[in-house]
Each structure stands twice: as C-alpha cells, then as structure tokens.
Amino acid sequence: MPSKQSPESTETTEYSFANPTQRFLIGVVLSGVPIVAYLSLSVDMSGGGWTAVGAGKLAIAIFIPLLWGGLAVFWGQRVIRFLSTLLESVNLPF
C-alpha cells in the first residue's frame, strides 16, 4: 500500500529547500546595497562611465556580496542581523 504524504511534510520540504536560497539572497542584497550606492556615487562624481571605475573594483564589488551571501547560508540569522545593523548605520544619500 503506497504511503500518502501529508501536506505538512511537503510544505516543510519546500521550506527547507527555499530557506538557504532566501538567506543567500538576503545576504547579497544587504551587503550589495552600500557597495552599489558607493560605486554609483563615485561614477556620478567622476563624470565618467562604469568603465572608469576599473575592472578590479568591479570584481571586488561583485565578490563581496557573493561572499556575504554564502556566509548567510551557513550562519543564517547571525550574519543577516549583522548586515542589517551595518546597513542601518551607513549614511546613504537616499
């Protein structure tokens, strides 16, 4: 006789799969907002384009949010709380 899965077990499986993805995206967004704001302001101030920033700075600007997203997957709420506190303390121009 085939066993039936309850709807609760299906929801739990989907939630546990989505949870690391959500933590990764939250980590990327929370760490990426100040970096994008800084880069966009430096582009506006210099009057040049995004190529004036340089490939090295752009590579670092991409790597840092990915790193924090990975850390958020493994350490979860601790990293997310740290990043949200850091984002609140940054004086963004908008």
Side-chain angles (χ1 to χ4, degrees), residues 26-70:
I26 290 170
V28 167
V29 169
L30 288 177
S31 62
V33 167
I35 293 172
V36 169
Y38 168 76
L39 285 176
S40 65
L41 285 175
S42 66
V43 167
D44 287 343
M45 296 288 216
S46 68
W50 283 96
T51 56
V53 173
K57 285 184 181 178
L58 287 176
I60 291 171
I62 292 169
F63 175 73
I64 290 174
L66 293 176
L67 174 69
W68 280 107

Side-chain angles (χ1 to χ4, degrees), residues 54-87:
K57 285 184 181 178
L58 287 176
I60 291 171
I62 292 169
F63 175 73
I64 290 174
L66 293 176
L67 174 69
W68 280 107
L71 291 173
V73 168
F74 291 110
W75 284 296
Q77 289 298 319
R78 275 188 271 169
V79 171
I80 292 171
R81 271 186 263 131
F82 172 75
L83 288 173
S84 63
T85 303
L86 188 68
L87 185 62

